[in-house]
Amino acid sequence: MGKTIVPVKSVVYALSPFQQKIMPGLWKDLPTKIHHKVSENWIGALLLVVPVVGTYSYAMHFVEQEKLHHRY
């Protein structure tokens, strides 16, 4: 069996100068952007966080009650 040479092309990815110019603008005014997102979606965030916190606090309370029950 003979070896065949397979040409391989290399590809280099880079940001264009226009994209490099825009990138710092993504981080400008970040606190305002975060505040805007939170103020728009606060009900969704609450519906996500409240059940998790409630379940965790219930579980910790239950564990503490079990410890106290088996104490004596």
Side-chain angles (χ1 to χ4, degrees):
M1 290 297 248
K3 294 183 180 179
T4 16
I5 299 172
V6 178
V8 178
K9 294 181 181 179
S10 64
V11 179
V12 177
Y13 293 98
L15 292 175
S16 72
F18 178 69
Q19 289 171 320
Q20 289 175 358
K21 187 177 178 183
I22 288 180
M23 290 299 282
L26 295 175
W27 305 109
K28 192 190 322 179
D29 207 20
L30 192 62
T32 305
K33 290 179 183 177
I34 292 173
H35 178 267
H36 185 65
K37 283 289 184 189
V38 169
S39 63
E40 279 183 354
N41 302 319
W42 65 272
I43 189 75
L46 270 177
L47 291 175
L48 178 68
V49 171
V50 167
V52 173
V53 171
T55 304
Y56 178 77
S57 63
Y58 174 77
M60 290 298 109
H61 176 72
F62 184 80
V63 166
E64 193 62 34
Q65 292 298 343
E66 282 292 312
K67 285 182 189 175
L68 292 175
H69 178 68
H70 295 295
R71 190 173 188 181
Y72 298 107

Coordinates of all heavy atoms in Angstrom, one line a residue:
M1 N 0.8 -1.2 0.0 CA 0.0 0.0 0.0 C 0.9 1.2 0.0 O 1.7 1.4 0.9 CB -0.9 0.0 1.2 CG -2.0 -1.0 1.2 SD -3.1 -0.7 -0.1 CE -4.5 -0.2 0.7
G2 N 0.6 2.1 -0.9 CA 1.4 3.4 -1.0 C 0.7 4.4 -0.2 O -0.5 4.4 0.1
K3 N 1.5 5.4 0.3 CA 1.0 6.5 1.1 C 0.6 7.6 0.2 O 1.3 8.0 -0.8 CB 2.1 7.0 2.1 CG 2.4 6.0 3.1 CD 3.4 6.5 4.1 CE 3.7 5.5 5.2 NZ 4.7 6.0 6.1
T4 N -0.6 8.1 0.4 CA -1.0 9.3 -0.4 C -0.9 10.5 0.4 O -1.3 10.5 1.6 CB -2.5 9.1 -0.9 OG1 -3.1 8.1 -0.1 CG2 -2.6 8.8 -2.3
I5 N -0.5 11.6 -0.2 CA -0.3 12.8 0.5 C -1.7 13.6 0.4 O -2.2 13.8 -0.7 CB 0.8 13.7 -0.1 CG1 2.1 13.0 0.1 CG2 0.8 15.1 0.6 CD1 3.3 13.7 -0.6
V6 N -2.2 13.9 1.6 CA -3.5 14.6 1.6 C -3.2 16.1 2.0 O -2.6 16.4 3.1 CB -4.4 14.0 2.7 CG1 -5.7 14.8 2.8 CG2 -4.7 12.6 2.4
P7 N -3.6 17.0 1.1 CA -3.3 18.4 1.5 C -4.2 18.9 2.6 O -5.4 18.6 2.6 CB -3.6 19.2 0.2 CG -4.5 18.3 -0.6 CD -4.2 16.9 -0.2
V8 N -3.7 19.6 3.6 CA -4.4 20.1 4.7 C -4.4 21.6 4.7 O -3.3 22.2 4.6 CB -3.8 19.5 6.0 CG1 -4.5 20.1 7.2 CG2 -3.8 18.0 6.1
K9 N -5.6 22.2 4.9 CA -5.6 23.6 4.9 C -5.8 24.0 6.4 O -6.6 23.4 7.1 CB -6.9 24.1 4.1 CG -6.7 23.9 2.6 CD -8.0 24.4 1.9 CE -7.9 24.1 0.4 NZ -9.1 24.6 -0.3
S10 N -5.1 25.1 6.8 CA -5.3 25.6 8.1 C -6.1 26.8 8.0 O -6.0 27.6 7.1 CB -3.9 25.9 8.7 OG -3.3 27.0 8.0
V11 N -7.0 27.0 9.0 CA -7.9 28.1 9.1 C -7.6 28.8 10.4 O -7.5 28.3 11.5 CB -9.4 27.6 9.1 CG1 -10.3 28.8 9.2 CG2 -9.6 26.8 7.8
V12 N -7.4 30.1 10.3 CA -7.2 31.0 11.5 C -8.4 31.9 11.6 O -8.7 32.6 10.7 CB -5.9 31.8 11.3 CG1 -5.7 32.7 12.5 CG2 -4.7 30.8 11.1
Y13 N -9.0 31.9 12.8 CA -10.1 32.8 13.1 C -9.6 34.0 13.9 O -8.9 33.8 14.8 CB -11.2 32.1 13.9 CG -11.9 30.9 13.1 CD1 -11.5 29.6 13.2 CD2 -12.9 31.2 12.2 CE1 -12.1 28.6 12.5 CE2 -13.5 30.2 11.4 CZ -13.1 28.9 11.6 OH -13.7 27.9 10.9
A14 N -10.1 35.1 13.5 CA -9.8 36.4 14.2 C -10.9 37.4 14.1 O -11.7 37.3 13.2 CB -8.5 37.0 13.7
L15 N -11.0 38.3 15.0 CA -12.0 39.3 14.9 C -11.5 40.4 13.9 O -10.4 40.7 13.9 CB -12.2 40.0 16.3 CG -12.8 39.1 17.4 CD1 -12.8 39.9 18.7 CD2 -14.2 38.7 17.0
S16 N -12.5 40.9 13.2 CA -12.2 41.9 12.3 C -11.9 43.2 13.1 O -12.4 43.3 14.2 CB -13.3 42.2 11.3 OG -14.4 42.7 11.9
P17 N -11.3 44.2 12.5 CA -11.0 45.5 13.2 C -12.3 46.1 13.7 O -12.4 46.7 14.8 CB -10.3 46.4 12.2 CG -9.7 45.4 11.3 CD -10.6 44.2 11.2
F18 N -13.4 46.0 12.9 CA -14.7 46.5 13.3 C -15.2 45.8 14.5 O -15.7 46.5 15.5 CB -15.7 46.4 12.1 CG -17.1 46.9 12.5 CD1 -17.3 48.3 12.7 CD2 -18.1 46.0 12.6 CE1 -18.6 48.7 13.0 CE2 -19.4 46.5 13.0 CZ -19.6 47.9 13.1
Q19 N -15.1 44.5 14.6 CA -15.6 43.8 15.8 C -14.7 44.1 17.0 O -15.2 44.1 18.1 CB -15.6 42.3 15.5 CG -16.6 41.8 14.5 CD -16.5 40.4 14.0 OE1 -15.3 39.9 13.8 NE2 -17.6 39.7 13.9
Q20 N -13.4 44.3 16.8 CA -12.5 44.6 17.9 C -12.9 45.9 18.5 O -12.8 46.2 19.7 CB -11.1 44.6 17.4 CG -10.6 43.2 17.2 CD -9.2 43.2 16.6 OE1 -8.6 44.3 16.4 NE2 -8.6 42.1 16.3
K21 N -13.4 46.8 17.6 CA -13.8 48.2 18.1 C -15.0 48.1 18.9 O -15.2 48.9 19.9 CB -13.9 49.1 16.9 CG -14.2 50.5 17.2 CD -14.3 51.3 16.0 CE -14.6 52.8 16.3 NZ -14.8 53.6 15.0
I22 N -15.9 47.2 18.6 CA -17.2 47.1 19.3 C -17.1 46.3 20.6 O -17.8 46.6 21.5 CB -18.2 46.3 18.4 CG1 -18.6 47.2 17.2 CG2 -19.5 45.9 19.1 CD1 -19.6 46.6 16.3
M23 N -16.1 45.4 20.7 CA -16.1 44.6 21.9 C -16.0 45.4 23.2 O -16.7 45.0 24.2 CB -14.8 43.6 21.8 CG -15.0 42.6 20.8 SD -16.4 41.5 21.1 CE -15.7 40.4 22.4
P24 N -15.2 46.4 23.4 CA -15.2 47.2 24.7 C -16.6 47.8 25.0 O -17.0 47.9 26.2 CB -14.2 48.3 24.5 CG -13.3 47.8 23.4 CD -14.2 47.0 22.5
G25 N -17.4 48.1 24.0 CA -18.7 48.6 24.2 C -19.7 47.7 24.8 O -20.7 48.1 25.4
L26 N -19.4 46.4 24.8 CA -20.2 45.4 25.4 C -20.2 45.5 26.9 O -21.1 45.2 27.6 CB -19.8 44.0 25.0 CG -20.0 43.6 23.5 CD1 -19.5 42.2 23.2 CD2 -21.5 43.7 23.2
W27 N -19.0 46.0 27.5 CA -18.9 46.0 28.9 C -19.2 47.4 29.5 O -19.2 47.6 30.7 CB -17.4 45.6 29.3 CG -17.1 44.3 28.7 CD1 -16.2 44.0 27.7 CD2 -17.6 43.0 29.2 NE1 -16.2 42.7 27.5 CE2 -17.0 42.0 28.4 CE3 -18.5 42.6 30.1 CZ2 -17.3 40.7 28.5 CZ3 -18.8 41.3 30.3 CH2 -18.2 40.4 29.5
K28 N -19.3 48.4 28.6 CA -19.6 49.7 29.0 C -21.0 49.8 29.6 O -22.0 49.2 29.1 CB -19.5 50.7 27.8 CG -19.5 52.2 28.3 CD -19.7 53.2 27.1 CE -18.9 52.8 25.9 NZ -19.1 53.7 24.8
D29 N -21.2 50.5 30.7 CA -22.5 50.6 31.4 C -23.1 49.3 31.8 O -24.3 49.1 31.7 CB -23.4 51.4 30.4 CG -24.5 52.2 31.2 OD1 -24.2 52.5 32.4 OD2 -25.5 52.6 30.6
L30 N -22.3 48.4 32.3 CA -22.8 47.1 32.6 C -23.8 47.1 33.8 O -24.8 46.4 33.7 CB -21.6 46.2 33.0 CG -21.9 44.7 33.1 CD1 -22.4 44.1 31.8 CD2 -20.6 43.9 33.6
P31 N -23.6 47.9 34.9 CA -24.6 47.9 35.9 C -26.0 48.3 35.5 O -27.0 47.8 35.9 CB -24.0 48.9 37.0 CG -22.6 48.9 36.7 CD -22.4 48.6 35.2
T32 N -26.0 49.3 34.6 CA -27.3 49.7 34.0 C -28.0 48.6 33.2 O -29.2 48.4 33.3 CB -27.1 51.0 33.2 OG1 -26.5 52.0 33.9 CG2 -28.5 51.5 32.7
K33 N -27.2 47.9 32.5 CA -27.8 46.8 31.7 C -28.3 45.7 32.6 O -29.4 45.1 32.3 CB -26.7 46.2 30.7 CG -26.3 47.2 29.6 CD -25.2 46.6 28.7 CE -24.8 47.5 27.7 NZ -23.7 47.0 26.8
I34 N -27.5 45.4 33.6 CA -28.0 44.3 34.6 C -29.3 44.8 35.3 O -30.2 44.0 35.4 CB -26.9 44.0 35.6 CG1 -25.7 43.3 34.8 CG2 -27.4 43.1 36.7 CD1 -24.5 43.1 35.7
H35 N -29.3 46.0 35.7 CA -30.5 46.6 36.4 C -31.7 46.5 35.4 O -32.8 46.2 35.8 CB -30.2 48.0 36.8 CG -31.4 48.6 37.5 ND1 -32.3 49.4 36.8 CD2 -31.9 48.6 38.8 CE1 -33.3 49.8 37.6 NE2 -33.0 49.3 38.8
H36 N -31.5 46.8 34.2 CA -32.6 46.8 33.2 C -33.1 45.4 33.0 O -34.3 45.2 33.0 CB -32.1 47.4 31.9 CG -33.2 47.5 30.8 ND1 -34.2 48.4 31.0 CD2 -33.3 46.9 29.7 CE1 -35.0 48.3 29.9 NE2 -34.5 47.4 29.1
K37 N -32.2 44.4 32.9 CA -32.6 43.0 32.8 C -33.4 42.5 34.0 O -34.4 41.8 33.9 CB -31.4 42.1 32.5 CG -30.9 42.2 31.1 CD -31.8 41.6 30.1 CE -31.3 41.5 28.8 NZ -32.2 41.1 27.7
V38 N -32.9 42.9 35.2 CA -33.5 42.4 36.4 C -34.9 43.1 36.6 O -35.9 42.4 36.9 CB -32.6 42.7 37.6 CG1 -33.4 42.5 38.9 CG2 -31.4 41.8 37.6
S39 N -35.0 44.4 36.3 CA -36.3 45.1 36.4 C -37.3 44.5 35.4 O -38.5 44.5 35.7 CB -36.1 46.6 36.3 OG -35.7 46.9 35.0
E40 N -36.9 44.1 34.3 CA -37.8 43.5 33.3 C -38.2 42.1 33.7 O -39.4 41.8 33.5 CB -37.1 43.4 31.9 CG -37.1 44.7 31.1 CD -36.5 44.5 29.7 OE1 -36.0 43.4 29.5 OE2 -36.5 45.4 28.9
N41 N -37.3 41.3 34.3 CA -37.6 39.9 34.5 C -37.7 39.5 36.0 O -37.3 38.4 36.3 CB -36.6 39.1 33.8 CG -36.5 39.4 32.3 OD1 -37.5 39.5 31.7 ND2 -35.3 39.5 31.8
W42 N -38.0 40.5 36.8 CA -38.0 40.2 38.3 C -39.0 39.1 38.7 O -38.7 38.3 39.5 CB -38.2 41.4 39.1 CG -39.5 42.0 39.0 CD1 -39.9 43.0 38.1 CD2 -40.7 41.8 39.8 NE1 -41.2 43.3 38.2 CE2 -41.7 42.6 39.3 CE3 -40.9 40.9 40.8 CZ2 -43.0 42.5 39.8 CZ3 -42.2 40.9 41.4 CH2 -43.2 41.7 40.9
I43 N -40.1 39.0 38.0 CA -41.1 38.0 38.4 C -40.6 36.6 38.0 O -40.8 35.7 38.8 CB -42.5 38.3 37.7 CG1 -43.6 37.4 38.3 CG2 -42.4 38.2 36.2 CD1 -44.0 37.7 39.7
G44 N -39.9 36.5 36.9 CA -39.3 35.2 36.5 C -38.2 34.8 37.4 O -38.1 33.6 37.8
A45 N -37.4 35.8 37.9 CA -36.3 35.5 38.8 C -36.9 35.0 40.1 O -36.4 34.1 40.8 CB -35.4 36.7 39.0
L46 N -38.0 35.7 40.6 CA -38.6 35.3 41.9 C -39.2 33.9 41.8 O -39.0 33.1 42.7 CB -39.7 36.3 42.2 CG -39.4 37.5 43.1 CD1 -40.6 38.4 43.3 CD2 -38.8 37.0 44.4
L47 N -39.8 33.6 40.7 CA -40.4 32.2 40.5 C -39.4 31.2 40.4 O -39.6 30.0 40.7 CB -41.3 32.2 39.3 CG -42.6 33.0 39.3 CD1 -43.3 33.0 38.0 CD2 -43.5 32.5 40.5
L48 N -38.2 31.5 40.1 CA -37.1 30.6 40.0 C -36.4 30.4 41.4 O -36.1 29.3 41.8 CB -36.0 31.0 39.0 CG -34.8 30.1 38.8 CD1 -35.2 28.8 38.2 CD2 -33.7 30.8 38.0
V49 N -36.2 31.5 42.1 CA -35.4 31.5 43.3 C -36.2 31.1 44.6 O -35.8 30.3 45.4 CB -34.8 32.9 43.5 CG1 -34.1 33.0 44.9 CG2 -33.7 33.1 42.5
V50 N -37.5 31.6 44.7 CA -38.3 31.3 45.9 C -38.5 29.9 46.1 O -38.3 29.4 47.3 CB -39.6 32.1 45.8 CG1 -40.6 31.7 46.9 CG2 -39.3 33.6 45.9
P51 N -38.9 29.0 45.2 CA -39.0 27.6 45.5 C -37.8 26.9 46.0 O -37.8 26.1 46.9 CB -39.5 27.0 44.2 CG -40.1 28.1 43.4 CD -39.3 29.3 43.8
V52 N -36.6 27.3 45.4 CA -35.4 26.7 45.8 C -35.0 27.1 47.2 O -34.7 26.2 48.0 CB -34.2 27.1 44.8 CG1 -32.9 26.6 45.3 CG2 -34.5 26.6 43.4
V53 N -35.1 28.4 47.6 CA -34.8 28.8 48.9 C -35.8 28.2 49.9 O -35.4 27.8 51.0 CB -34.9 30.4 49.0 CG1 -34.7 30.9 50.4 CG2 -33.7 30.9 48.1
G54 N -37.1 28.2 49.5 CA -38.1 27.6 50.4 C -37.8 26.1 50.7 O -37.9 25.7 51.9
T55 N -37.5 25.4 49.7 CA -37.3 23.9 49.9 C -36.0 23.7 50.7 O -36.0 22.9 51.6 CB -37.1 23.3 48.5 OG1 -38.2 23.5 47.7 CG2 -36.9 21.8 48.6
Y56 N -35.0 24.5 50.5 CA -33.8 24.4 51.3 C -34.0 24.7 52.7 O -33.6 24.0 53.6 CB -32.7 25.3 50.7 CG -31.4 25.3 51.5 CD1 -30.5 24.2 51.3 CD2 -31.1 26.3 52.4 CE1 -29.3 24.2 52.1 CE2 -29.9 26.3 53.1 CZ -29.0 25.2 52.9 OH -27.9 25.2 53.7
S57 N -34.7 25.8 53.0 CA -35.0 26.2 54.4 C -35.9 25.1 55.1 O -35.7 24.8 56.3 CB -35.6 27.6 54.5 OG -36.9 27.6 53.9
Y58 N -36.8 24.6 54.4 CA -37.7 23.5 54.9 C -36.8 22.3 55.3 O -37.0 21.7 56.3 CB -38.8 23.1 54.0 CG -39.6 22.0 54.4 CD1 -40.6 22.1 55.4 CD2 -39.4 20.7 53.9 CE1 -41.3 21.0 55.9 CE2 -40.2 19.6 54.3 CZ -41.1 19.8 55.3 OH -41.8 18.7 55.8
A59 N -35.9 21.9 54.4 CA -35.1 20.7 54.6 C -34.2 21.0 55.8 O -34.0 20.1 56.6 CB -34.3 20.4 53.4
M60 N -33.6 22.2 55.9 CA -32.7 22.4 57.1 C -33.5 22.4 58.4 O -33.0 21.9 59.4 CB -32.0 23.8 56.9 CG -31.0 23.8 55.8 SD -29.7 22.7 56.1 CE -30.0 21.4 54.9
H61 N -34.7 22.9 58.4 CA -35.6 22.9 59.5 C -35.9 21.5 59.9 O -35.9 21.1 61.1 CB -36.9 23.7 59.3 CG -37.8 23.7 60.4 ND1 -37.6 24.3 61.6 CD2 -39.0 23.0 60.5 CE1 -38.7 24.1 62.4 NE2 -39.5 23.3 61.8
F62 N -36.2 20.6 58.9 CA -36.6 19.2 59.2 C -35.4 18.5 59.7 O -35.6 17.7 60.7 CB -37.0 18.6 57.8 CG -37.5 17.2 58.0 CD1 -38.8 16.9 58.5 CD2 -36.7 16.1 57.7 CE1 -39.2 15.6 58.7 CE2 -37.1 14.8 57.9 CZ -38.4 14.6 58.3
V63 N -34.2 18.7 59.2 CA -33.0 18.1 59.7 C -32.8 18.5 61.2 O -32.4 17.6 62.0 CB -31.8 18.4 58.8 CG1 -30.5 18.0 59.5 CG2 -31.9 17.7 57.5
E64 N -32.9 19.7 61.5 CA -32.7 20.2 62.9 C -33.8 19.6 63.8 O -33.4 19.2 64.9 CB -32.8 21.7 62.9 CG -32.3 22.4 64.1 CD -30.9 22.1 64.4 OE1 -30.1 22.0 63.5 OE2 -30.5 22.0 65.6
Q65 N -35.0 19.5 63.3 CA -36.0 18.8 64.2 C -35.7 17.4 64.4 O -35.9 16.9 65.5 CB -37.4 19.0 63.5 CG -37.9 20.4 63.5 CD -38.1 21.0 64.9 OE1 -38.2 20.3 65.9 NE2 -38.2 22.3 64.9
E66 N -35.2 16.7 63.4 CA -34.8 15.3 63.6 C -33.7 15.1 64.6 O -33.7 14.2 65.4 CB -34.4 14.7 62.3 CG -35.6 14.3 61.4 CD -36.4 13.2 61.9 OE1 -35.8 12.1 62.3 OE2 -37.6 13.3 62.0
K67 N -32.7 16.1 64.5 CA -31.6 16.0 65.5 C -32.1 16.2 66.9 O -31.7 15.5 67.9 CB -30.6 17.1 65.2 CG -29.7 16.9 64.0 CD -28.8 18.0 63.8 CE -28.0 18.0 62.6 NZ -27.2 19.2 62.4
L68 N -33.0 17.2 67.1 CA -33.6 17.4 68.4 C -34.4 16.3 68.9 O -34.5 16.0 70.1 CB -34.4 18.7 68.4 CG -33.6 20.0 68.2 CD1 -34.6 21.2 68.1 CD2 -32.6 20.2 69.4
H69 N -35.1 15.6 68.0 CA -36.0 14.5 68.4 C -35.2 13.3 68.9 O -35.6 12.6 69.8 CB -36.8 14.1 67.2 CG -37.7 12.9 67.4 ND1 -38.8 13.0 68.3 CD2 -37.7 11.6 67.0 CE1 -39.4 11.8 68.3 NE2 -38.7 11.0 67.5
H70 N -34.0 13.1 68.3 CA -33.2 11.9 68.7 C -32.2 12.3 69.7 O -31.3 11.5 70.1 CB -32.5 11.4 67.4 CG -33.4 10.8 66.4 ND1 -34.2 9.7 66.7 CD2 -33.7 11.2 65.2 CE1 -34.9 9.4 65.6 NE2 -34.7 10.3 64.7
R71 N -32.3 13.5 70.3 CA -31.3 13.9 71.2 C -31.4 13.2 72.6 O -30.4 12.9 73.2 CB -31.4 15.5 71.4 CG -30.3 16.1 72.2 CD -30.5 17.6 72.1 NE -29.4 18.2 72.7 CZ -29.3 19.5 72.8 NH1 -30.2 20.3 72.3 NH2 -28.2 20.1 73.3
Y72 N -32.7 13.0 73.0 CA -32.9 12.4 74.3 C -33.2 11.0 74.2 O -33.9 10.5 73.5 CB -33.9 13.2 75.1 CG -33.5 14.7 75.3 CD1 -34.2 15.7 74.6 CD2 -32.6 15.0 76.2 CE1 -33.8 17.0 74.8 CE2 -32.2 16.3 76.5 CZ -32.8 17.3 75.7 OH -32.5 18.6 76.0

